[in-house]
Amino acid sequence: MNKEDLFKKVISHAKEYGFIFQSSEIYDGLQAVYDYGQNGAELKRNIRDYWWKAMVQMHENIVGIDAAIFMHPTTWKASGHVDAFNDPQIDNKDSKKRYRADVLLEDYAEKLRQKAEKEITKAKKRFGADFDEAMFRETNPRVKRYLTEAEETVQRMAQSLEKNDLADVKELIEEKGIACPISGSKNWTEVRQFNLMFSTQMGATADGANEVYLRPETAQGIFTNFLNVQKTGRLKIPFGIAQTGKAFRNEIVARQFIFRMREFEQMEMQFFVRPGEELKWYEYWKDQRMQWHQALGLNPDLYRWHDHEKLAHYANAAADIEFDFPFGFKELEGVHSRTDFDLKAHEKYSGKKLQFFDPELNENYVPYVVETSIGLDRMFLALLSAAYQEETLEDGSTRTVLKLPLALAPVKAAILPLVKKDGLPEISREILSTLQLDHNVQYDEKDAIGKRYRRHDAIGTPLCITVDHQSKEDQTVTLRHRDSMQQERISIPDLPAKVSELVKISSLLTNKS
Ligand code: GAP
C-alpha cells in the first residue's frame, strides 16, 4: 500500500471505528479541530498514562502538576509569545487561500529530497549488492543537484526569517516558481507575520475586561510554578516538573488530520539543572526519550533525530525526534536546552526571585532548563498509522488489524459467548465482571464469531476470550491472540493473571532498548 493510500485509509478507519471525529460535524465541522470517540479517548488516555508513568512515576526527582489554561497575560509577554510567536503568512490572490511561507518552501525542499531518494532507490535496484550509496550520493550529478538546492533553499529561508527579511522570503518563493497547490497560480501577496495565540476577554463587564490568552504551550505553567513546587516538594536540583494538557495555536495552515491542530494536547517536562550541566542532561533526556519511543516495539527505522540548524535565541541545543508519518518524516517531539531564559524573563517581569539555593555550592542561581515536549495527538497519529495493516489470510480472506502495542490498546480483551444461549452468556459476564476490575474489556455477543474477531482486530483488541460449550464442562475458554491469531485453551481462574501479564504497562517501562 502506498503512503497516500495508507493515510486516507487511516483517516477513514479512525472515523468508522470511533477513534476520531471532526469536531461539531453536524454543523459541517470546524477546521483543524477534532473530537476523540470512544476508542480514541481510551487510546489517548493510555498514551498519556504511559508518558506520565515513564516520566513521573519512574523518576524519583520528577513531579507532575496540572496548571490552568488561562494565565496572567504578562506571562506571555515574558515568554516572548506576544512579540515573537509568529508564523510568516502569505495569501494567494487568486485562490484567496492562506499559506505559511516557510511551509511552502519546506515542502518545495522536501520534494527535491524525495526526487533524490527516488534516484537512489532506482540505482540501488540497478546495481544490486555492489551499490555504494554514500559514493552515489556524493557523485551522481542529479542527486547532488537536488540535495544542494534543497539545502540552499532551506538555509536562505532560515537566514531571511532570522533577519525578519520577509521580502526575501517572498522573492525566494517567486524564484522557485512555487504555485498555490489549489489554483496553480503564482500571484502572491507580501509575506506578513501572524501571531498564533488565541485571545479572549476575562471579566464580567466589558469595562473590567482583561485580554487573556489560551496558552499556546503548557511549559509556562511549569515555569511560573517553579518556586511553589520546588519549595513545597522540597526538591533539590536536578529535578523535573511535568504536565500534560491542552494548548491552542491559531495555525495558518492546519492540515494533515490531527498532525497540526488548533486545539491539541502537549506532554511536557522541564528539568531544572545547575548552569553548566545542561548539555550533559540534554544528552541524557535525548537518550531517555528515544528509549520511551522504542520500547513500544515499532520499527526503529520510523524514528530519526533532526538537530535544529537554527537555534532559538534562548536555546543552546535542540533536536527533534521525527517520525515517518504517512506524509513523510515530521516532528513528533522536541528536546530543547533552553538555558535560564524563561526563569530569568519571569524574574524580570514579575520582580520575584526564581532561584535555587544550592547547598553543595553554597550559592543561589537561576537554574538552567532542559525541556522534553511531545504532542499527544501526534503520538496518537504515529501509533495509528504504524499499527494499521491489511492482511491476506491463508484462506484468501482479508482482515484489517490495528497492531497497537498491547498495553496501549483501547480495549484489552473481548469476551465472546459462542452462542447467546445454553448458559454461555452468564459465564461470559462473570469473566467480564472479574476482568473489568483491572482492564477496559468488552462483552460482545452479536454476530458470528468470525465477524466479532474482525471487529476487535479493527480496533486493536489484543485478546479475544471465547466461551463455548466445553467451558461449561471443564471451566476453560479459548484465548485468541490478535497478531498471530493463534488460539490456546486456558482455564477461567487463570485468566486474570494471564491477561494482566500480556497487557501490563510495566512491560513498556522496563523494556528499554
Ligand atoms: N514548549 C515547547 C514547545 O511547545 P513546540 O515544538 O512548539 O515546542 C512541542 O511544540 C510539540 O507539540 C511538537 O513537537 C508537537 O508534537 C506538538 N505540537 C505543536 N504544535 C502542534 C499543533 N498545532 N498540533 C498538534 N501538535 C502540535
Side-chain angles (χ1 to χ4, degrees), residues 32 81 85 216-220 223 247-251 253-254 257-268 270 308 314 320-321 325 331-336 338 371-379:
H81 285 81
F85 194 52
E217 62 170 14
T218 57
Q220 297 304 325
F223 291 124
F248 304 82
R249 297 184 188 178
N250 198 1
E251 300 282 359
V253 187
F257 195 34
I258 56 168
F259 180 80
R260 196 177 299 287
M261 300 155 88
R262 298 204 164 105
E263 173 179 343
F264 58 101
E265 191 164 337
Q266 288 186 316
M267 307 190 286
E268 298 199 295
Q270 324 300 131
H308 285 204
Y314 51 79
D320 296 332
I321 295 176
F325 287 99
E331 175 185 341
L332 171 60
E333 165 155 17
V335 181
H336 313 124
R338 296 179 68 119
E371 158 185 86
T372 73
S373 175
I374 177 170
L376 176 48
D377 313 86
R378 278 195 195 173
M379 188 61 204

Side-chain angles (χ1 to χ4, degrees), residues 406-510:
L406 308 195
L408 302 188
V411 177
K412 299 296 188 293
I415 299 121
L416 317 170
L418 190 62
V419 290
K420 278 193 254 180
K421 54 183 185 183
D422 303 337
L424 305 191
E426 288 75 9
I427 300 174
S428 303
R429 288 204 176 276
E430 259 178 50
I431 296 173
L432 176 86
S433 60
T434 309
L435 293 182
Q436 71 188 170
L437 292 171
D438 294 308
H439 309 286
N440 187 32
V441 290
Q442 271 181 12
Y443 172 82
D444 187 357
E445 61 177 21
K446 196 167 170 287
D447 298 320
I449 193 75
K451 224 172 170 182
R452 282 180 270 168
Y453 285 157
R454 292 290 165 276
R455 205 153 52 220
H456 280 282
D457 285 343
I459 62 166
T461 307
L463 302 166
C464 284
I465 296 161
T466 306
V467 177
D468 53 21
H469 290 95
Q470 192 185 328
S471 310
K472 283 172 52 175
E473 311 296 319
D474 63 3
Q475 289 285 295
T476 65
V477 290
T478 55
L479 186 66
R480 173 189 180 269
H481 298 264
R482 177 195 70 197
D483 296 351
S484 63
M485 291 188 294
Q486 296 213 318
Q487 302 194 5
E488 57 178 315
R489 203 82 203 167
I490 172 162
S491 90
I492 293 173
D494 290 345
L495 266 178
K498 178 84 177 176
V499 172
S500 294
E501 179 58 27
L502 289 168
V503 303
K504 65 184 181 192
I505 204 158
S506 55
S507 58
L508 299 179
L509 300 171
T510 48

Side-chain angles (χ1 to χ4, degrees), residues 187-436:
N187 192 9
W188 296 109
T189 61
E190 298 306 308
V191 177
R192 283 184 296 266
Q193 291 291 12
F194 174 81
N195 192 287
L196 299 186
M197 280 198 296
F198 284 101
S199 67
T200 186
Q201 306 295 318
M202 185 174 259
T205 61
D207 289 351
N210 221 339
E211 189 178 33
V212 290
Y213 300 99
L214 297 185
R215 65 180 177 197
E217 62 170 14
T218 57
Q220 297 304 325
I222 291 179
F223 291 124
T224 53
N225 276 301
F226 162 74
L227 262 196
N228 283 338
V229 176
Q230 188 264 318
K231 287 205 165 129
T232 54
R234 295 184 296 114
L235 296 162
K236 293 201 170 38
I237 271 180
F239 72 91
I241 306 178
Q243 79 166 324
T244 70
K246 290 273 179 145
F248 304 82
R249 297 184 188 178
N250 198 1
E251 300 282 359
I252 300 169
V253 187
R255 55 175 189 182
Q256 289 158 333
F257 195 34
I258 56 168
F259 180 80
R260 196 177 299 287
M261 300 155 88
R262 298 204 164 105
E263 173 179 343
F264 58 101
E265 191 164 337
Q266 288 186 316
M267 307 190 286
E268 298 199 295
M269 192 277 302
Q270 324 300 131
F271 201 67
F272 299 91
V273 304
R274 263 186 202 160
E277 293 191 353
E278 70 279 8
L279 293 180
K280 177 183 89 181
W281 288 109
Y282 169 70
E283 291 305 328
Y284 171 85
W285 281 109
K286 273 179 71 180
D287 190 48
Q288 286 278 309
R289 293 306 304 148
M290 190 53 104
Q291 283 186 27
W292 183 87
H293 287 282
Q294 302 214 328
L296 290 168
L298 310 186
N299 180 351
D301 294 343
L302 290 168
Y303 302 90
R304 73 179 185 198
W305 280 107
H306 168 77
D307 286 319
H308 285 204
E309 290 123 35
K310 180 186 148 217
L311 286 176
H313 61 280
Y314 51 79
N316 61 5
D320 296 332
I321 295 176
E322 292 188 339
F323 187 82
D324 194 2
F325 287 99
F327 36 84
F329 272 99
K330 295 270 179 219
E331 175 185 341
L332 171 60
E333 165 155 17
V335 181
H336 313 124
S337 173
R338 296 179 68 119
T339 67
D340 55 0
F341 170 82
D342 300 270
L343 288 179
K344 274 224 169 111
H346 287 303
E347 274 198 330
K348 182 174 146 208
Y349 279 84
S350 68
K352 310 268 165 28
K353 276 206 172 337
L354 300 178
Q355 302 189 352
F356 174 75
F357 176 72
D358 192 326
E360 281 173 34
L361 300 180
N362 199 26
E363 67 178 65
N364 276 306
Y365 54 76
V366 177
Y368 272 42
V369 171
V370 176
E371 158 185 86
T372 73
S373 175
I374 177 170
L376 176 48
D377 313 86
R378 278 195 195 173
M379 188 61 204
F380 188 108
L381 181 59
L383 279 174
L384 204 61
S385 46
Y388 182 93
Q389 292 184 23
E390 289 174 0
E391 290 181 346
T392 305
L393 308 179
E394 272 172 17
D395 63 2
S397 64
T398 56
R399 71 162 182 161
T400 301
V401 52
L402 285 188
K403 292 192 170 171
L404 291 166
L406 308 195
L408 302 188
V411 177
K412 299 296 188 293
I415 299 121
L416 317 170
L418 190 62
V419 290
K420 278 193 254 180
K421 54 183 185 183
D422 303 337
L424 305 191
E426 288 75 9
I427 300 174
S428 303
R429 288 204 176 276
E430 259 178 50
I431 296 173
L432 176 86
S433 60
T434 309
L435 293 182
Q436 71 188 170

